[in-house]
Amino acid sequence: MNVSNANAREVDPALWERPQMRQALAARDMATVYRLLQRIGVSQRHIAALTAQSQSEISEILKGRQVMAYDVLGRIADGLGIPRGYMGLAYDASCTTPAPAAADQRDDSSEDEQVRRLLAHAAQVTIGAASGDAEEWTEPVTPTETPVPQRIGMADVEQIETVTRTLRALDYRHGGGVCRDAVVAQLTWSQRLLRASCPESVTLRLHQALADQHNLAGWTSFDVGLYGSARSHLARALEQAKHARNSSLAANVLYRMGRVHLHCDRILDALRFFQLGQICAQDASCERTVAMLFANEAWAYALLGDSDLALKSINRAADELARARDRESPAWVSFFGAADLDATSGMVHADLAETHLDSHLGIAERFLTDALGQRDPSMARSRAFELTALATVQLRAGDMTAGIANGNEAVTLATEIRSMRITDRLAPLQAVAMMRAHAGDAQDLARRISVVRAA
C-alpha cells in the first residue's frame, strides 16, 4: 500500500476499503485505525498533522482512549479522507458500497464443494506447498452467531455465572487486557437469551447474571483505559441489578463507578457514587459491601485532604468487615477481605501524608506490608498496585534499599499484566524515583518505569 509523500494531505483511499479497516471505522475504533496506518508507514506526526490533533492525543488514542466527540470524529474523517458514512457520522453517497465480505461469507457453494476445497487446502499446507498470507491472519474470521435455545432453565443461567467467575479470575491474575474482549463477546451471546422463554424466577436470575457480566465488562474496560465503554457497561449493569432486585450487586456496580472516577481524579464524583452505593448496601444488609464502600469513601476523603472523615470512614470499614468475616458473600464482592482493607488503609495514610504530617508514611508502610503478606498469589494485579504504593512510600521516607527493591518488583509485575491502571499507578513512583535520582539505582528504576509507561 502506497502512502503519499510527506507533504501530502491524504492517505491512499484504497486503505479504507480493507475489511479490517472497515470494521474498525464502523466501531469508531480509532486506536486500531491509527495502528493500521502506522503499519503502512504513516507516522504519529503525520496523523496528527492530517487530523489537527496533538501528538500526545494520538499517543493516548493508541493506548486505548476512546474518541467520543462528534466534531473530533468528523475532523479525523475529513483530515484522513475517510468517507464519513464509514464511521456512521452522516449519510454519504460514497459509502453505499458494503464492506468487502470475507471469503467464507461469499461462498455459497454446496457443502461438498466447501469440504473439497478445505481438504485440498489442508493437503497443500501440510506438505508445505502453501503457507497462507500472513497479512490475512490479522483479519478476523467472519463471525457467525451461535444459536440460542428457544427455552432456557436455571442450568443455562448457572452456566453464564460460571463463565463470569472464570473470566473474573483471569482479570484478577492477568489484567483486563487479557479477557476484556472475551467478556464482551460472551455478553453478546448471553443477552440473546433474553429472547428465550423461561419462568419468571429464571428471568430474574438471568438479569442478575447479565448485570454481573456487564459489571465485569465495565471493570475490564476500565482496566484497559476504555472509560466511555466502562461507563456504558456499568450503567447497564446497574439497571439490570435493580431490575433483578439485587441490592448487593447494585451497590457493587456503584462502587466500581466510583473507582473509575477516583482513577480519573474526579474525586467528588467518585465520593457521590460511593455514597449512593451505601444506600444499596444498607438495603442488602451486606456488611462486606458496606465495608468496601466505606474504605473507598475514606480513600476519596484522604485525596481531598480531610483526615477526620477519612479516618472515621476507614474505622467504620474495619468494624463492618469484622462483622462480615464469617458470612458467605456473593462472587462480585467476595474478593474484599483483610488484605484489601489493609491496602486501602495504606493508600489512605499515604495520601494523608501529602497534606498532613509525614508520620502517616510509617502507618501507610505498615498497612501496605501487611496487605502484601496476606495477598493471594492469584491476585497479581492487586500485588502490583500494593508494591507500587509501598515502594513510593518507602522512597518518600528515605528507605532507598527497600523502596528500589519493591519498585523493581512492581515494574516486573507490570510487564506481565495487561492493565493500563498499573502503568498509570506507576507515575507517582516514577516521580519520587526521579527526585532521588542522585542514587544510581533510583535513576535506573525511573528509567525502567519510563519504558513501561511508554510501551
Side-chain angles (χ1 to χ4, degrees), residues 343-408:
T344 310
S345 298
M347 295 305 301
V348 167
H349 285 281
D351 287 321
L352 286 176
E354 295 282 353
T355 51
H356 296 78
L357 297 176
D358 283 347
S359 59
H360 283 286
L361 288 177
I363 302 172
E365 181 178 9
R366 186 179 74 248
F367 273 120
L368 290 165
T369 301
D370 289 348
L372 281 162
Q374 301 171 80
R375 182 62 71 192
D376 188 288
S378 65
M379 305 289 279
R381 183 176 54 205
S382 295
R383 281 186 54 80
F385 288 150
E386 288 146 20
L387 281 165
T388 300
L390 179 59
T392 304
V393 164
Q394 289 168 332
L395 289 182
R396 286 172 62 191
D399 188 347
M400 302 299 293
T401 301
I404 289 168
N406 285 320
N408 278 308

Side-chain angles (χ1 to χ4, degrees), residues 395 400 404 430 432-448:
L395 289 182
M400 302 299 293
I404 289 168
Q430 183 181 9
V432 176
M434 287 298 294
M435 289 172 57
R436 309 287 189 184
H438 57 274
D441 289 344
Q443 194 172 51
D444 290 342
L445 173 61
R447 192 176 297 115
R448 282 192 72 198

Side-chain angles (χ1 to χ4, degrees), residues 34-163:
Y34 288 175
R35 278 195 289 270
L36 291 172
L37 286 171
Q38 287 186 313
R39 190 179 298 171
I40 62 167
V42 184
S43 67
Q44 284 191 36
R45 179 176 296 178
H46 195 52
I47 295 171
L50 292 174
T51 60
Q53 294 176 286
S54 66
Q55 281 188 256
S56 62
E57 285 181 282
I58 302 298
S59 178
E60 287 298 315
I61 290 169
L62 284 165
K63 290 177 182 177
R65 194 192 85 188
Q66 277 193 309
V67 180
M68 306 294 290
Y70 185 93
D71 60 328
V72 177
L73 290 166
R75 193 167 70 238
I76 291 170
D78 294 342
L80 294 173
I82 303 167
R84 281 186 167 226
Y86 287 12
M87 297 168 66
L89 296 175
Y91 177 77
D92 187 325
S94 65
C95 72
T96 54
T97 303
D104 57 344
Q105 213 173 15
R106 294 193 302 266
D107 193 353
D108 56 359
S109 56
S110 68
E111 183 176 2
D112 287 344
E113 177 64 13
Q114 291 178 34
V115 173
R116 187 193 67 75
R117 289 180 188 173
L118 178 60
L119 185 57
H121 180 67
Q124 287 181 319
V125 173
T126 302
I127 65 174
S131 59
D133 183 353
E135 183 63 28
E136 289 184 0
W137 298 343
T138 65
E139 298 177 2
V141 175
T142 304
T144 303
E145 287 190 346
T146 304
V148 297
Q150 293 183 342
R151 184 171 182 80
I152 61 170
M154 201 61 79
D156 298 285
V157 180
E158 289 170 353
Q159 288 171 2
I160 295 175
E161 294 168 343
T162 299
V163 170

Side-chain angles (χ1 to χ4, degrees), residues 199-227:
E200 184 180 357
S201 59
V202 174
T203 299
L204 286 176
R205 181 81 169 266
L206 176 59
H207 279 292
Q208 175 181 296
L210 289 173
D212 196 26
Q213 275 198 351
H214 275 293
N215 197 22
L216 182 58
W219 191 245
T220 52
S221 296
F222 164 44
D223 201 42
V224 299
L226 297 174
Y227 304 126

Side-chain angles (χ1 to χ4, degrees), residues 181-201:
D181 284 354
V183 178
V184 173
Q186 177 62 36
L187 255 174
T188 301
W189 184 84
S190 301
Q191 287 177 161
R192 291 166 56 216
L193 292 182
L194 288 169
R195 303 171 189 164
S197 65
C198 58
E200 184 180 357
S201 59

